[in-house]
Amino acid sequence: MQKKYKTYFIDLDGTLYRGKEKIPAAARFIARLQAAGLPFLVLTNNTTQTPETVARNLTANYDMLIKPENVYTAGLATADYLKQLALGKKVYAIGELGLKQAILNQGFSFDDYRPDYVVVGLDWDVTYRKFEKATLAIQRGAKFIGTNADTNLPNERGLVPGAGSVIALVERATQQKATYVGKPEPIMLNAALAHFGLDKSEAIMVGDNYNTDIMAGINTGVDTLLVYTGYSKPADIAKVAVKPTYEITSLDQWKV
């Protein structure tokens, strides 16, 4: 029996689109949520882009009228987490504009030498010097935050290094484990729940990847909807101990 939910948290690649390929059922699903007046957040571990960029891409290329306020990136979740920790206002960040802008927007300033936090995410132009600054700052006592643990990203050339691979270098250099924010960790979904002022029983996490999307829901105590349009396959789910709350082959099957 399908339960009714007040808010939807929705993954991007594999759920709302596949690379550059549209998923028509996904566009219809978003339109049904909007017609029903149900709030939703698109949750992505991608910290390189701003919510404006993500929304513009979905609207222009995938037939979805998405606004920036519908997008919650691991960069935004990281900045919200820093604010919640309240250990200070200075940050050293390895990452792209999406991450750095989110941190600045929460009132933090950047400090290369003695920051309160070192935040490491995906950086297309990462250098030894950046790693050196991060390592030394953590050794001086800065709290070490990783945006997300994704070791690889798929693109047209294959599986390229993701944020988790960048963070792993700093972990080895400092011999410290980062605190991870993005899916499948509960920090990101808890922040999304706080965004709407909801109890975990009132939301559902929708995604195609059991290891990130569905585990994020399970780790947070949020119900989950696995759609078989991307990464995970029925044969994979047959082997897992904790099943998704719901499994479907198309978002057309879901009644909002």
Side-chain angles (χ1 to χ4, degrees):
M1 188 71 177
Q2 183 187 312
K3 181 179 157 186
K4 290 286 186 182
Y5 297 92
K6 291 185 178 178
T7 295
Y8 285 73
F9 303 142
I10 310 165
D11 173 57
L12 273 177
D13 201 353
T15 304
L16 293 185
Y17 56 78
R18 272 186 298 265
K20 294 185 178 178
E21 178 192 348
K22 294 179 183 179
I23 301 178
R28 292 191 289 268
F29 172 66
I30 294 295
R32 291 202 308 278
L33 289 178
Q34 291 168 328
L38 285 167
F40 64 90
L41 281 180
V42 173
L43 298 190
T44 173
N45 273 354
N46 186 334
T47 61
T48 65
Q49 296 179 336
T50 63
E52 289 76 13
T53 305
V54 175
R56 197 160 49 241
N57 178 45
L58 287 169
T59 301
N61 299 314
Y62 298 101
D63 305 325
M64 300 171 198
L65 295 173
I66 304 289
K67 297 176 181 176
E69 53 264 36
N70 294 126
V71 179
Y72 196 61
T73 69
L76 292 176
T78 298
D80 286 341
Y81 181 59
L82 299 186
K83 190 174 182 181
Q84 177 192 328
L85 288 175
L87 299 177
K89 301 299 286 184
K90 295 179 179 178
V91 180
Y92 179 66
I94 293 177
E96 292 290 322
L97 176 65
L99 175 63
K100 292 182 176 177
Q101 191 63 59
I103 290 169
L104 288 174
N105 287 349
Q106 285 290 13
F108 293 94
S109 61
F110 293 128
D111 186 321
D112 288 14
Y113 181 69
R114 199 171 284 280
D116 303 296
Y117 311 94
V118 168
V119 176
V120 183
L122 186 58
D123 185 330
W124 306 123
D125 297 304
V126 72
T127 62
Y128 180 87
R129 183 55 55 87
K130 291 180 182 180
F131 285 131
E132 182 182 71
K133 287 179 180 179
T135 300
L136 293 173
I138 292 165
Q139 289 170 353
R140 292 186 200 106
K143 183 165 180 61
F144 181 16
I145 309 289
T147 57
N148 61 287
D150 298 351
T151 54
N152 295 91
L153 294 174
N155 70 16
E156 61 279 2
R157 298 183 299 280
L159 287 173
V160 300
S165 296
V166 177
I167 297 162
L169 191 149
V170 183
E171 289 181 327
R172 289 296 294 271
T174 59
Q175 297 179 43
Q176 284 192 43
K177 189 81 175 162
T179 297
Y180 287 89
V181 172
K183 301 175 292 184
E185 302 304 320
I187 290 173
M188 187 169 181
L189 255 65
N190 279 325
L193 286 167
H195 178 91
F196 286 116
L198 291 174
D199 183 80
K200 58 186 70 174
S201 66
E202 298 174 302
I204 186 167
M205 178 70 220
V206 184
D208 71 295
N209 188 325
Y210 181 88
N211 298 324
T212 54
D213 309 319
I214 303 308
M215 282 307 303
I218 291 167
N219 289 338
T220 315
V222 169
D223 283 357
T224 55
L225 171 60
L226 178 64
V227 57
Y228 289 116
T229 50
Y231 183 82
S232 294
K233 308 299 180 205
D236 303 323
I237 305 310
K239 301 171 190 169
V240 301
V242 182
K243 307 294 185 192
T245 313
Y246 309 96
E247 300 168 47
I248 55 176
T249 56
S250 167
L251 286 169
D252 279 338
Q253 295 171 257
W254 187 258
K255 294 182 177 67
V256 301

